[in-house]
Amino acid sequence: MAPQQRKPHVCRNPDLIRGVGKYSRSKMYHKRGLWAIKAKNGGAFPKHEKKAVAAAPAEKPPKFYPADDVKKPLVNKRKARLTKLRASITPGTVLIILAGRFKGKRVVFLKQLTSGLLLVTGPFKINGVPLRRVNQSYVIATSTKVDISGVNVEKFDDKYFGKQVEKKKKKGEGEFFEAEKEEKNTLPQDKKDDQKSVDAALVKSIEAVPDLKSYLGARFSLKAGMKPHELVF
Amino acid sequence: MPFKRYVEIGRVGLVNYGKDYGKLVVIVDVIDQNRALVDAPDMVRSQLNFKRLTLTDIKIDIKRVPNKKTLVAALEAADVKNKWESSSWGRKLIVQKKRASLNDFDRFKIMLAKIKEAGVVRQELAKLKKETTA
């Protein structure tokens, strides 16, 4: 049965001032209808029996007592929340990356992942930045937006970017090292295809805006006379 | 050497300090040696120290302390807004405001435009140089 919407019930005993109700205990007894409940039950207040508590199995005294009292850690019921995304960062915003290999690159924001990191892409063809995760703190959000409606980013999550688990190999020398190196260098083909599919729709909407392509291809830098605190991004 | 811009009723001034920074106001009365009563279409009539005011060349024809309606009508009649925006001082302020509000993308586009312009100028210069040396 669906819960009915009711008006919130007005308090039966309004406060005259904080801590002092309008009605006395006897008046409240009458107002609450406890006399009617008693009458219905034949003069006494209805009781129900306590549920039978299952007898706890007899515990054996422990064989081993630790030498020192170990302190129990305090209870922590905090839940992690998804990192708050700055209001200036919306899907399609052009971001400037401030640190790391791609510092200064202008990049398109796709979505925020469950870990709180931002999923961005160059696009790769334009500035060499692949589908990558970036932290919000290392990013300046510009007010330039790109139309991102043709892009499907459902399949990307943090697991996609995790380190590939290496198969355990038996120890061997010589050949082992060479073989390992060859495998690590190449990106798996399906990741390259993902990059291409995401970029295809993006590049179309980028080329629709004049100069936006060369804008994304250029790096940002501070020149003489630019005051970051006065610049409007 | 003599003064050209006088504090008088109807003198238009630019506020250079305070809450109304950058606004054009009209002096509608002089309170004492240091303060004037100023008014503008978008603000409440209030007193302003002369130190917070910079006088402009524009003067309008009003009586002492006019109504808001009369003031607005007088401003329209004298066409203060257009005179200001076409004056070199007014134009400079507009450009400053525009530059301050530029986006990162706008700055990039301006850079491209400047480079293009300089390229055209340099080409013409090279042509002229060739002609004179040839």
Side-chain angles (χ1 to χ4, degrees), chain A residues 96 106 143-144 210-211 214-215 218 220 232-233, chain B residues 100-109 111-112:
Chain A
I96 300 175
R106 296 170 171 123
S143 45
T144 317
D211 290 333
S214 45
Y215 173 63
F220 170 82
V232 168
F233 284 99
Chain B
S101 70
L102 283 177
N103 203 344
D104 189 43
F105 188 27
D106 295 332
R107 266 174 265 135
F108 181 79
K109 285 191 269 192
M111 177 192 73
L112 290 182

Side-chain angles (χ1 to χ4, degrees), chain A residues 69-126:
Chain A
D69 279 335
V70 178
K71 279 200 171 167
K72 278 214 298 232
L74 292 171
V75 154
N76 182 3
K77 287 199 179 149
R78 290 178 176 177
K79 285 199 185 133
R81 284 188 190 280
L82 186 59
T83 315
K84 188 162 175 212
L85 195 60
R86 267 183 268 157
S88 52
I89 303 180
T90 61
T93 314
V94 173
L95 308 174
I96 300 175
I97 297 184
L98 296 173
R101 196 171 154 207
F102 299 108
K103 53 177 155 291
K105 292 269 191 196
R106 296 170 171 123
V107 136
V108 178
F109 170 66
L110 297 174
K111 75 171 188 181
Q112 184 182 31
L113 302 168
T114 46
S115 65
L117 298 173
L118 313 179
L119 176 67
V120 296
T121 181
F124 187 68
K125 265 263 153 74
I126 298 182

